[in-house]
Amino acid sequence: MLVLILGIAVAFFDQLTKHWVMQTLPLGDPYPVIQGFFDLTHVRNTGAAWGILGGQNTALTLLSMVMLLVMVIFRRSFLSDTWDHRVALGLMIGGILGNLFDRMRLGWVVDFLDFHVGGYHWPAFNIADAAICVGVGIYILSALWAHSHPLNGNIPASREATDGNADG
């Protein structure tokens, strides 16, 4: 249930913010929020992250649909039934849905969060992109944590042998 609620919430909030951006901000004109660091800039992205595969909307739409199906159908093979993995899956599904709605409805994805650090300009992104990245990050970190942390029952064999010999 958490996956469903989080996925719907992310997709809804993503679409709500994109609607506001399209209604409020002129295309391409930055609106400074924190001067020299963060702007709101209405951008049309016809590609994937950082504009990769620009103009490939049909292929990216199909890829999004396939990824959603794979994640839902095979979730038990790569996700454990833990709170952090359910959050990760909900964020990823909500993010994919948010951008998929744009691709199907508009033919591009609306991006608007625009950061500058020093002389470097990070490509504009949106709530869906952020949710996907955070979801993937949570999944990777929690998988690494579960695999290596002794409190999760994954004690290396050499340590078990030592602990067993000390008792006996």
Side-chain angles (χ1 to χ4, degrees):
M1 187 62 113
L2 175 63
V3 172
L4 182 62
I5 291 170
L6 191 54
I8 290 170
V10 166
F12 175 77
F13 186 59
D14 175 69
Q15 288 297 296
L16 184 68
T17 56
K18 289 172 179 177
H19 176 76
W20 177 83
V21 165
M22 290 188 299
Q23 298 300 314
T24 308
L25 300 175
L27 188 62
D29 289 341
Y31 177 81
V33 177
I34 301 173
Q35 190 66 40
F37 176 68
F38 174 54
D39 297 335
L40 295 175
T41 307
H42 181 180
V43 176
R44 290 180 180 170
N45 183 357
T46 61
W50 302 288
I52 297 170
L53 300 174
Q56 300 297 315
N57 191 58
T58 302
L60 291 168
T61 298
L62 291 173
L63 179 63
S64 296
M65 290 176 178
V66 168
M67 287 307 301
L68 282 171
L69 284 173
V70 166
M71 291 171 69
V72 170
I73 293 170
F74 296 106
R75 71 187 176 280
R76 288 192 177 104
S77 16
F78 63 91
L79 291 172
S80 61
D81 190 29
T82 59
W83 181 85
D84 48 347
H85 277 195
R86 288 191 305 266
V87 168
L89 183 61
L91 289 171
M92 289 185 281
I93 287 175
I96 292 170
L97 283 173
N99 283 339
L100 181 60
F101 292 154
D102 279 10
R103 290 188 192 289
M104 293 175 68
R105 187 171 50 94
L106 304 170
W108 64 80
V109 172
V110 175
D111 289 333
F112 59 93
L113 301 170
D114 194 11
F115 286 89
H116 307 265
V117 179
Y120 181 74
H121 176 233
W122 190 263
F125 60 99
N126 57 48
I127 302 298
D129 297 334
I132 293 167
C133 290
V134 170
V136 168
I138 289 171
Y139 173 75
I140 291 170
L141 291 175
S142 66
L144 291 172
W145 173 264
H147 179 71
S148 65
H149 198 277
L151 292 178
N152 291 325
N154 295 323
I155 301 171
S158 61
R159 188 161 161 209
E160 285 179 13
T162 305
D163 291 346
N165 289 339
D167 292 338

